[in-house]
Amino acid sequence: MTRSNFLSSGWNALIGLGAAALLTTQGPAAAATQEDRVSMRPLTVEHIRISSKRSFDEVKTALESRVRFVQVDLLIPYLQKGDMAGARAELERLAAPAGLSILYSLNHGAALAMDGGPRKAVGYGIGNVLTAVSMNKHNVAAGLYAPVRVILYEGADGTAVFEYDRPSSMFGLLGNASIDSVAARLDVALKELLMDVGK
């Protein structure tokens, strides 16, 4: 499986599932009953922008050489044998040394080129599968924010820029101390990584 095909893997089910609720045509009373099932809370997110003095290509190469892509085909033999310890060890190997992996990448620049000139921009899902599992154990809704979405693009002056939302500010909505603790460590690890590959 190639890195760009990762979105078709089973992990995509953890990060990309959505559901549409359809209302019946039984009149206003039925619609009101459906709405009673919906709850909403505001979410305040801290957004981070990291500028680099290096080019987009240099920073992209640095990131992808430093952080491995998770390749599901490497895990399948362990999962088929029920060897969870082996699968865990392989995931830990892929995440070393930063404790982070790239779960997927999307070439936004190719899409933007359809509406003007070429643009260098790549979106990444960066995280740690084992960390995500530990969070989901406490609240499955943690899958909304894991892996963390990071975009790398070429700024107007030709240098690279990272943007992402601070993990702890998103996971904090869930109100779970165990998840908050993991998210705080992810804050540090992700920022340190992006600062380092962009310097």
Side-chain angles (χ1 to χ4, degrees):
M1 177 179 295
T2 64
R3 299 182 303 194
S4 61
N5 287 337
F6 183 76
L7 279 176
S8 63
S9 72
W11 177 249
N12 185 48
L14 294 178
I15 61 176
L17 286 179
L22 300 177
L23 298 178
T24 64
T25 57
Q26 298 174 6
T33 301
Q34 292 283 37
E35 284 302 312
D36 289 343
R37 296 166 50 201
V38 178
S39 63
M40 291 179 283
R41 283 186 289 165
L43 173 62
T44 302
V45 174
E46 184 176 351
H47 187 73
I48 298 175
R49 183 179 190 274
I50 298 174
S51 301
S52 172
K53 294 183 179 179
R54 302 169 68 192
S55 72
F56 170 90
D57 291 326
E58 289 176 311
V59 173
K60 181 176 183 293
T61 298
L63 175 64
E64 293 183 5
S65 63
R66 180 82 166 275
V67 184
R68 294 184 183 93
F69 281 79
V70 170
Q71 296 175 292
V72 174
D73 54 333
L74 298 179
L75 300 173
I76 290 175
Y78 298 105
L79 299 176
Q80 288 177 333
K81 294 184 295 185
D83 181 3
M84 296 301 109
R88 176 177 288 273
E90 179 64 16
L91 286 167
E92 289 173 347
R93 183 188 72 80
L94 290 170
L100 297 170
S101 301
I102 297 174
L103 284 299
Y104 66 85
S105 66
L106 297 171
N107 187 345
H108 288 287
L112 291 170
M114 294 187 293
D115 189 27
R119 184 80 186 270
K120 294 181 177 181
V122 180
Y124 295 98
I126 299 179
N128 183 307
V129 176
L130 298 175
T131 297
V133 169
S134 73
M135 289 177 157
N136 282 315
K137 179 176 64 177
H138 297 288
N139 189 330
V140 178
L144 287 168
Y145 310 118
V148 178
R149 184 102 166 90
V150 177
I151 189 160
L152 168 65
Y153 62 91
E154 184 177 59
D157 62 355
T159 60
V161 179
F162 283 114
E163 294 202 37
Y164 67 100
D165 294 329
R166 184 185 294 277
S168 62
S169 68
M170 297 184 292
F171 288 110
L173 175 72
L174 303 175
N176 182 285
S178 297
I179 292 176
D180 290 344
S181 176
V182 175
R185 294 195 298 273
L186 184 55
D187 284 352
V188 175
L190 185 58
K191 185 177 180 181
E192 287 181 349
L193 168 69
L194 300 181
M195 290 286 290
D196 193 42
V197 299
K199 68 183 180 183

PDB file of all heavy atoms in Angstrom, residues 7 17-18 22 33 36 54 82 97 101 112 114 118 126-127 135 142 144-145 158 160 164 169 197:
ATOM      1  N   LEU A   7      -5.586   6.533   3.017  1.00  0.00           N
ATOM      2  CA  LEU A   7      -6.950   6.894   3.369  1.00  0.00           C
ATOM      3  C   LEU A   7      -7.932   5.760   3.135  1.00  0.00           C
ATOM      4  O   LEU A   7      -9.008   5.740   3.713  1.00  0.00           O
ATOM      5  CB  LEU A   7      -7.392   8.126   2.572  1.00  0.00           C
ATOM      6  CG  LEU A   7      -6.905   9.445   3.135  1.00  0.00           C
ATOM      7  CD1 LEU A   7      -7.308  10.574   2.220  1.00  0.00           C
ATOM      8  CD2 LEU A   7      -7.447   9.684   4.527  1.00  0.00           C
ATOM      9  N   LEU A  17     -15.398   8.896   9.625  1.00  0.00           N
ATOM     10  CA  LEU A  17     -16.793   8.504   9.532  1.00  0.00           C
ATOM     11  C   LEU A  17     -17.713   9.671   9.881  1.00  0.00           C
ATOM     12  O   LEU A  17     -17.469  10.425  10.796  1.00  0.00           O
ATOM     13  CB  LEU A  17     -17.078   7.331  10.483  1.00  0.00           C
ATOM     14  CG  LEU A  17     -16.531   5.967  10.057  1.00  0.00           C
ATOM     15  CD1 LEU A  17     -16.882   4.936  11.111  1.00  0.00           C
ATOM     16  CD2 LEU A  17     -17.111   5.556   8.728  1.00  0.00           C
ATOM     17  N   GLY A  18     -18.787   9.818   9.149  1.00  0.00           N
ATOM     18  CA  GLY A  18     -19.822  10.804   9.450  1.00  0.00           C
ATOM     19  C   GLY A  18     -21.173  10.149   9.249  1.00  0.00           C
ATOM     20  O   GLY A  18     -21.286   9.122   8.610  1.00  0.00           O
ATOM     21  N   LEU A  22     -31.845  11.841   8.982  1.00  0.00           N
ATOM     22  CA  LEU A  22     -32.949  12.221   8.110  1.00  0.00           C
ATOM     23  C   LEU A  22     -34.229  12.333   8.935  1.00  0.00           C
ATOM     24  O   LEU A  22     -34.585  11.415   9.673  1.00  0.00           O
ATOM     25  CB  LEU A  22     -33.136  11.172   7.001  1.00  0.00           C
ATOM     26  CG  LEU A  22     -31.927  10.972   6.088  1.00  0.00           C
ATOM     27  CD1 LEU A  22     -32.215   9.850   5.091  1.00  0.00           C
ATOM     28  CD2 LEU A  22     -31.595  12.254   5.362  1.00  0.00           C
ATOM     29  N   THR A  33     -39.202  16.348  17.917  1.00  0.00           N
ATOM     30  CA  THR A  33     -38.700  15.193  18.657  1.00  0.00           C
ATOM     31  C   THR A  33     -37.295  14.834  18.203  1.00  0.00           C
ATOM     32  O   THR A  33     -36.425  14.527  19.013  1.00  0.00           O
ATOM     33  CB  THR A  33     -39.639  13.987  18.452  1.00  0.00           C
ATOM     34  OG1 THR A  33     -40.941  14.340  18.900  1.00  0.00           O
ATOM     35  CG2 THR A  33     -39.148  12.779  19.228  1.00  0.00           C
ATOM     36  N   ASP A  36     -34.733  17.219  19.622  1.00  0.00           N
ATOM     37  CA  ASP A  36     -34.458  16.993  21.044  1.00  0.00           C
ATOM     38  C   ASP A  36     -33.270  16.063  21.240  1.00  0.00           C
ATOM     39  O   ASP A  36     -32.680  16.018  22.322  1.00  0.00           O
ATOM     40  CB  ASP A  36     -35.685  16.402  21.744  1.00  0.00           C
ATOM     41  CG  ASP A  36     -36.803  17.427  21.893  1.00  0.00           C
ATOM     42  OD1 ASP A  36     -36.513  18.634  21.748  1.00  0.00           O
ATOM     43  OD2 ASP A  36     -37.956  17.013  22.135  1.00  0.00           O
ATOM     44  N   ARG A  54      12.828  28.431   5.581  1.00  0.00           N
ATOM     45  CA  ARG A  54      13.206  27.481   4.532  1.00  0.00           C
ATOM     46  C   ARG A  54      12.077  27.331   3.525  1.00  0.00           C
ATOM     47  O   ARG A  54      10.927  27.697   3.782  1.00  0.00           O
ATOM     48  CB  ARG A  54      13.548  26.133   5.163  1.00  0.00           C
ATOM     49  CG  ARG A  54      14.667  26.208   6.183  1.00  0.00           C
ATOM     50  CD  ARG A  54      14.794  24.921   6.954  1.00  0.00           C
ATOM     51  NE  ARG A  54      15.266  23.834   6.115  1.00  0.00           N
ATOM     52  CZ  ARG A  54      15.240  22.555   6.481  1.00  0.00           C
ATOM     53  NH1 ARG A  54      14.727  22.209   7.654  1.00  0.00           N
ATOM     54  NH2 ARG A  54      15.701  21.618   5.672  1.00  0.00           N
ATOM     55  N   GLY A  82      -3.602 -12.426  15.121  1.00  0.00           N
ATOM     56  CA  GLY A  82      -4.060 -12.049  16.455  1.00  0.00           C
ATOM     57  C   GLY A  82      -2.925 -11.636  17.366  1.00  0.00           C
ATOM     58  O   GLY A  82      -3.054 -11.661  18.592  1.00  0.00           O
ATOM     59  N   PRO A  97      11.493   8.372  16.354  1.00  0.00           N
ATOM     60  CA  PRO A  97      11.776   8.678  17.761  1.00  0.00           C
ATOM     61  C   PRO A  97      10.850   9.740  18.361  1.00  0.00           C
ATOM     62  O   PRO A  97      10.833   9.930  19.571  1.00  0.00           O
ATOM     63  CB  PRO A  97      13.205   9.218  17.698  1.00  0.00           C
ATOM     64  CG  PRO A  97      13.256   9.928  16.388  1.00  0.00           C
ATOM     65  CD  PRO A  97      12.371   9.134  15.445  1.00  0.00           C
ATOM     66  N   SER A 101       3.509   9.679  13.996  1.00  0.00           N
ATOM     67  CA  SER A 101       3.519   9.113  12.653  1.00  0.00           C
ATOM     68  C   SER A 101       2.623   9.959  11.764  1.00  0.00           C
ATOM     69  O   SER A 101       1.775  10.719  12.246  1.00  0.00           O
ATOM     70  CB  SER A 101       2.983   7.678  12.656  1.00  0.00           C
ATOM     71  OG  SER A 101       3.742   6.844  13.485  1.00  0.00           O
ATOM     72  N   LEU A 112      -6.043  23.033  -5.635  1.00  0.00           N
ATOM     73  CA  LEU A 112      -6.028  24.483  -5.804  1.00  0.00           C
ATOM     74  C   LEU A 112      -5.616  24.888  -7.209  1.00  0.00           C
ATOM     75  O   LEU A 112      -6.012  25.938  -7.705  1.00  0.00           O
ATOM     76  CB  LEU A 112      -5.078  25.109  -4.780  1.00  0.00           C
ATOM     77  CG  LEU A 112      -5.540  25.040  -3.323  1.00  0.00           C
ATOM     78  CD1 LEU A 112      -4.413  25.457  -2.386  1.00  0.00           C
ATOM     79  CD2 LEU A 112      -6.765  25.907  -3.103  1.00  0.00           C
ATOM     80  N   MET A 114      -6.639  23.754  -9.860  1.00  0.00           N
ATOM     81  CA  MET A 114      -7.799  23.773 -10.746  1.00  0.00           C
ATOM     82  C   MET A 114      -8.473  25.144 -10.761  1.00  0.00           C
ATOM     83  O   MET A 114      -9.295  25.429 -11.610  1.00  0.00           O
ATOM     84  CB  MET A 114      -8.805  22.698 -10.321  1.00  0.00           C
ATOM     85  CG  MET A 114      -8.285  21.274 -10.504  1.00  0.00           C
ATOM     86  SD  MET A 114      -9.549  20.013 -10.200  1.00  0.00           S
ATOM     87  CE  MET A 114      -9.829  20.224  -8.433  1.00  0.00           C
ATOM     88  N   PRO A 118      -0.550  26.886 -10.067  1.00  0.00           N
ATOM     89  CA  PRO A 118      -0.129  25.822  -9.149  1.00  0.00           C
ATOM     90  C   PRO A 118       0.177  26.370  -7.763  1.00  0.00           C
ATOM     91  O   PRO A 118       0.627  27.501  -7.621  1.00  0.00           O
ATOM     92  CB  PRO A 118       1.123  25.252  -9.822  1.00  0.00           C
ATOM     93  CG  PRO A 118       1.608  26.345 -10.701  1.00  0.00           C
ATOM     94  CD  PRO A 118       0.396  27.101 -11.154  1.00  0.00           C
ATOM     95  N   ILE A 126      -1.381  13.803  11.519  1.00  0.00           N
ATOM     96  CA  ILE A 126      -0.215  13.421  12.317  1.00  0.00           C
ATOM     97  C   ILE A 126      -0.659  13.030  13.721  1.00  0.00           C
ATOM     98  O   ILE A 126      -1.442  13.731  14.361  1.00  0.00           O
ATOM     99  CB  ILE A 126       0.811  14.572  12.385  1.00  0.00           C
ATOM    100  CG1 ILE A 126       1.303  14.924  10.976  1.00  0.00           C
ATOM    101  CG2 ILE A 126       1.993  14.195  13.288  1.00  0.00           C
ATOM    102  CD1 ILE A 126       2.305  16.071  10.936  1.00  0.00           C
ATOM    103  N   GLY A 127      -0.158  11.907  14.174  1.00  0.00           N
ATOM    104  CA  GLY A 127      -0.512  11.461  15.513  1.00  0.00           C
ATOM    105  C   GLY A 127       0.176  10.149  15.842  1.00  0.00           C
ATOM    106  O   GLY A 127       1.231   9.836  15.305  1.00  0.00           O
ATOM    107  N   MET A 135      -6.909   7.210  24.049  1.00  0.00           N
ATOM    108  CA  MET A 135      -7.897   8.278  24.241  1.00  0.00           C
ATOM    109  C   MET A 135      -9.305   7.763  23.968  1.00  0.00           C
ATOM    110  O   MET A 135     -10.240   8.042  24.727  1.00  0.00           O
ATOM    111  CB  MET A 135      -7.590   9.452  23.311  1.00  0.00           C
ATOM    112  CG  MET A 135      -6.352  10.250  23.670  1.00  0.00           C
ATOM    113  SD  MET A 135      -6.075  11.541  22.423  1.00  0.00           S
ATOM    114  CE  MET A 135      -5.078  12.707  23.361  1.00  0.00           C
ATOM    115  N   ALA A 142     -13.146  11.102  20.974  1.00  0.00           N
ATOM    116  CA  ALA A 142     -11.778  11.585  20.780  1.00  0.00           C
ATOM    117  C   ALA A 142     -11.314  11.353  19.341  1.00  0.00           C
ATOM    118  O   ALA A 142     -10.424  12.037  18.848  1.00  0.00           O
ATOM    119  CB  ALA A 142     -10.826  10.897  21.756  1.00  0.00           C
ATOM    120  N   LEU A 144     -12.680  12.281  16.831  1.00  0.00           N
ATOM    121  CA  LEU A 144     -12.922  13.490  16.045  1.00  0.00           C
ATOM    122  C   LEU A 144     -11.637  14.285  15.810  1.00  0.00           C
ATOM    123  O   LEU A 144     -11.500  14.973  14.800  1.00  0.00           O
ATOM    124  CB  LEU A 144     -13.929  14.398  16.764  1.00  0.00           C
ATOM    125  CG  LEU A 144     -15.391  13.958  16.771  1.00  0.00           C
ATOM    126  CD1 LEU A 144     -16.173  14.796  17.770  1.00  0.00           C
ATOM    127  CD2 LEU A 144     -15.976  14.079  15.374  1.00  0.00           C
ATOM    128  N   TYR A 145     -10.703  14.203  16.749  1.00  0.00           N
ATOM    129  CA  TYR A 145      -9.532  15.080  16.710  1.00  0.00           C
ATOM    130  C   TYR A 145      -8.209  14.334  16.584  1.00  0.00           C
ATOM    131  O   TYR A 145      -7.146  14.944  16.690  1.00  0.00           O
ATOM    132  CB  TYR A 145      -9.516  15.953  17.971  1.00  0.00           C
ATOM    133  CG  TYR A 145     -10.830  16.640  18.223  1.00  0.00           C
ATOM    134  CD1 TYR A 145     -11.577  16.388  19.363  1.00  0.00           C
ATOM    135  CD2 TYR A 145     -11.355  17.525  17.282  1.00  0.00           C
ATOM    136  CE1 TYR A 145     -12.791  17.002  19.582  1.00  0.00           C
ATOM    137  CE2 TYR A 145     -12.573  18.147  17.492  1.00  0.00           C
ATOM    138  CZ  TYR A 145     -13.288  17.884  18.646  1.00  0.00           C
ATOM    139  OH  TYR A 145     -14.507  18.498  18.858  1.00  0.00           O
ATOM    140  N   GLY A 158       7.521  32.592  -0.512  1.00  0.00           N
ATOM    141  CA  GLY A 158       8.204  31.378  -0.944  1.00  0.00           C
ATOM    142  C   GLY A 158       8.669  30.471   0.175  1.00  0.00           C
ATOM    143  O   GLY A 158       9.187  29.378  -0.086  1.00  0.00           O
ATOM    144  N   ALA A 160       8.073  28.202   3.832  1.00  0.00           N
ATOM    145  CA  ALA A 160       7.068  27.243   4.296  1.00  0.00           C
ATOM    146  C   ALA A 160       6.342  27.730   5.545  1.00  0.00           C
ATOM    147  O   ALA A 160       6.911  28.439   6.382  1.00  0.00           O
ATOM    148  CB  ALA A 160       7.736  25.903   4.579  1.00  0.00           C
ATOM    149  N   TYR A 164      -2.058  24.548  12.363  1.00  0.00           N
ATOM    150  CA  TYR A 164      -2.842  23.476  12.971  1.00  0.00           C
ATOM    151  C   TYR A 164      -3.530  24.008  14.214  1.00  0.00           C
ATOM    152  O   TYR A 164      -3.231  25.118  14.679  1.00  0.00           O
ATOM    153  CB  TYR A 164      -1.959  22.273  13.317  1.00  0.00           C
ATOM    154  CG  TYR A 164      -0.938  22.522  14.412  1.00  0.00           C
ATOM    155  CD1 TYR A 164      -1.166  22.101  15.721  1.00  0.00           C
ATOM    156  CD2 TYR A 164       0.268  23.165  14.134  1.00  0.00           C
ATOM    157  CE1 TYR A 164      -0.233  22.321  16.721  1.00  0.00           C
ATOM    158  CE2 TYR A 164       1.204  23.386  15.130  1.00  0.00           C
ATOM    159  CZ  TYR A 164       0.953  22.970  16.415  1.00  0.00           C
ATOM    160  OH  TYR A 164       1.887  23.193  17.406  1.00  0.00           O
ATOM    161  N   SER A 169      -6.661  22.030  23.069  1.00  0.00           N
ATOM    162  CA  SER A 169      -7.823  22.920  23.005  1.00  0.00           C
ATOM    163  C   SER A 169      -9.016  22.223  22.361  1.00  0.00           C
ATOM    164  O   SER A 169     -10.160  22.582  22.625  1.00  0.00           O
ATOM    165  CB  SER A 169      -7.477  24.213  22.247  1.00  0.00           C
ATOM    166  OG  SER A 169      -7.250  23.981  20.869  1.00  0.00           O
ATOM    167  N   VAL A 197      11.661  20.795  12.248  1.00  0.00           N
ATOM    168  CA  VAL A 197      11.816  20.542  10.816  1.00  0.00           C
ATOM    169  C   VAL A 197      11.706  21.829  10.012  1.00  0.00           C
ATOM    170  O   VAL A 197      12.185  21.877   8.864  1.00  0.00           O
ATOM    171  CB  VAL A 197      10.773  19.509  10.290  1.00  0.00           C
ATOM    172  CG1 VAL A 197      10.938  18.182  10.986  1.00  0.00           C
ATOM    173  CG2 VAL A 197       9.342  20.029  10.417  1.00  0.00           C
TER     174      VAL A 197
END
